[in-house]
Amino acid sequence: MSATHLSHSPGSQSLTSACKRCILPSLHQLQGRQLRRVHQTCVRNDQNNKRQSDAPPSRRRLLQGTAAGVIGCCACGRPCGASNGKQAGGTWPGRWGWYDRYFAFAMTEMQDYEREVAPLKGRLFAAALAPGAEVLELGMGTGPNLRYEAECSEVHVTGVDVNSAMAPYAREAAQTAGLPLQRLTLVTGDVGALPFKDDSFDVVVCTLVLCSVPDVLGPLAEAARVLRPGGRFLYIEHVLAPPSDRVLQVQQRLLDPLQQLAADRCHLTRDTGAVIQGCGHFSRVDAMAPFVVPGAGLIGPHAAGIAYV
């Protein structure tokens, strides 16, 4: 395995909001109309959930998206919904619906971070994508990468996320980016047990996801499995600070347990770039030199690059 380095020029804007999949914006940042919108959404969804739980079993299964024919079944045997431009519903087992809804809403406030990394994303996506590519995005979230994927003609994007509340935002992002919904498939599922056949995709995209999975090696193995020969794995992840920044590294280690509790299982202390290079699933890894997203604090250190099967 070889590792080469890509250049990086950080953007000029400061990062004031938190990382996708990581520290949530504080509630005090939501004021007036935004705060009312979150509250109204949670109340409305709680009312819908109560109506579903009071329904007869057959109707309840349909409302939750578990009726036969509505969803597929992933490799781990757990349900995952999929449809073109749509997402078959229900909260993933072991997750809190109200938290998923808030987290999805909060992730729409990521404009500052996206401006900061836009030059980097533009270069990586241009290098990884080709016209007509089948793209799989792990942890698609609200779809901030769709603007780059839509720039490549005739691509089809499949997004997997364990948080089903992200789907409406992802569809909206696709429409804003000019990606037709017939070329977007959203799946609720586990990125460590993908419901796809081997050699199904040309590109797998993974940005700010591996911080929050139980085991980094699982999604990497799955990404390599579903990639076609010569396929590309594009990654951008926040990581543990280098030994040269001892103060930040100590802060990350001290606050990591709290981060996992407060930020959807996000870890601050993973050396994800090194794991990708050493996992053995890729024949070559073109890795950028480690860099820091300005103003990002605990989640500032990043690793990024493109790996090839």
Side-chain angles (χ1 to χ4, degrees):
M1 178 181 307
S2 63
T4 58
H5 294 287
L6 303 174
S7 61
H8 169 65
S9 299
S12 59
Q13 300 294 323
S14 297
L15 181 66
T16 58
S17 62
C19 167
K20 173 188 173 184
R21 302 264 178 216
C22 296
I23 300 172
L24 289 172
S26 302
L27 278 173
H28 72 262
Q29 292 178 309
L30 301 178
Q31 300 177 358
R33 195 172 296 175
Q34 283 185 322
L35 189 58
R36 287 195 297 273
R37 179 182 168 190
V38 172
H39 175 70
Q40 291 167 356
T41 300
C42 290
V43 169
R44 183 168 59 252
N45 284 317
D46 287 342
Q47 291 172 343
N48 290 339
N49 290 340
K50 185 178 186 304
R51 284 196 294 270
Q52 293 175 15
S53 64
D54 292 340
S58 59
R59 178 170 172 262
R60 188 185 313 147
R61 288 180 64 222
L62 180 61
L63 290 171
Q64 292 175 337
T66 58
V70 175
I71 62 171
C73 186
C74 65
C76 63
R78 290 177 290 183
C80 52
S83 61
N84 286 336
K86 300 180 180 179
Q87 187 273 321
T91 301
W92 190 259
R95 297 186 64 86
W96 297 328
W98 65 267
Y99 182 83
D100 280 356
R101 293 189 294 274
Y102 170 69
F103 199 89
F105 176 82
M107 291 305 98
T108 64
E109 303 297 315
M110 289 290 297
Q111 297 92 336
D112 292 326
Y113 176 86
E114 290 302 325
R115 278 195 297 269
E116 199 69 60
V117 299
L120 165 65
K121 284 190 174 184
R123 289 194 296 275
L124 287 179
F125 277 90
L129 299 182
E134 287 286 340
V135 179
L136 172 64
E137 183 158 352
L138 307 183
M140 168 163 275
T142 57
N145 295 326
L146 287 167
R147 56 178 285 198
Y148 306 100
E149 292 155 350
E151 290 177 357
C152 193
S153 62
E154 298 303 315
V155 298
H156 183 278
V157 180
T158 300
V160 178
D161 203 295
V162 74
N163 184 349
S164 61
M166 298 284 189
Y169 300 106
R171 287 196 294 270
E172 182 179 352
Q175 292 176 315
T176 300
L179 182 72
L181 290 183
Q182 61 266 31
R183 290 200 272 125
L184 174 67
T185 300
L186 301 180
V187 177
T188 301
D190 182 358
V191 298
L194 296 172
F196 309 112
K197 296 179 180 179
D198 296 357
D199 305 333
S200 296
F201 298 94
D202 301 298
V203 180
V204 173
V205 175
C206 186
T207 63
L208 302 179
V209 175
L210 297 179
C211 62
S212 59
V213 297
D215 174 28
V216 175
L217 292 175
L220 294 178
E222 283 292 271
R225 179 183 66 81
V226 301
L227 277 171
R228 293 166 180 155
R232 284 84 68 196
F233 177 75
L234 186 161
Y235 65 94
I236 303 172
E237 296 288 339
H238 73 81
V239 297
L240 179 68
S244 59
D245 195 345
R246 183 65 177 168
V247 173
L248 178 56
Q249 191 178 100
V250 169
Q251 291 174 335
Q252 288 176 315
R253 294 189 186 280
L254 287 174
L255 294 174
D256 188 58
L258 178 61
Q259 175 81 350
Q260 294 179 45
L261 288 173
D264 204 12
R265 305 175 180 88
C266 170
H267 295 70
L268 295 171
T269 59
R270 289 180 171 172
D271 192 359
T272 307
V275 174
I276 292 172
Q277 293 188 43
C279 67
H281 297 303
F282 305 106
S283 62
R284 186 175 96 243
V285 180
D286 290 348
M288 293 180 55
F291 64 97
V292 175
V293 176
L298 292 173
I299 57 170
H302 273 58
I306 301 174
Y308 300 81
V309 295

